[in-house]
Amino acid sequence: MLKLPVYLRGSSYYLHTRVGSKQIKKSLHTACKDTARIKALHILGAITVAVDLSKIRKFNIDLEKGVFQSDGEDDHRRMMETLGAIDRIGV
C-alpha cells in the first residue's frame, strides 16, 4: 500500500509534505481516512505536474538594504513589475 503523508489532527485530516525546499501543509477538510487519501493523491498529482523546480528563476529584493538581484532579462522584467506592485500598494 502507498504511504501518504496524511494525518488526523482534531477532526480533520491534513496533508503534510515537502516539495523541493518548501514545506506544504494543507487541510483536506474531511474526517474520512479514505476520502483524505484520495484528496491527497489529487493534490500531490497536481503539485508534481505544475511545479518543475529546475525551471524556477528567482530574483532577490531586499528593501531595507537596497539590494536588487536578478538573473537575465526575463527575471529582471518580473522584478521590475514586482517593484511597481510594491510601490502601488505602498509597502
Side-chain angles (χ1 to χ4, degrees), residues 22-38:
K22 300 294 181 185
Q23 222 179 63
I24 297 173
K25 280 186 183 176
K26 172 97 174 95
S27 172
L28 299 171
H29 304 290
T30 185
C32 175
K33 189 173 188 176
D34 294 330
T35 304
R37 287 179 177 168
I38 292 169

Side-chain angles (χ1 to χ4, degrees), residues 57-88:
R57 299 183 64 138
K58 298 178 183 175
F59 55 84
N60 184 19
I61 298 175
D62 187 345
L63 295 176
E64 288 182 5
K65 296 179 183 175
V67 175
F68 306 96
Q69 297 174 332
S70 65
D71 295 327
E73 291 181 25
D74 290 338
D75 204 32
H76 183 263
R77 180 184 46 78
R78 285 193 308 273
M79 182 179 69
M80 297 309 287
E81 289 171 0
T82 303
L83 284 171
I86 288 172
D87 187 43
R88 281 192 300 276

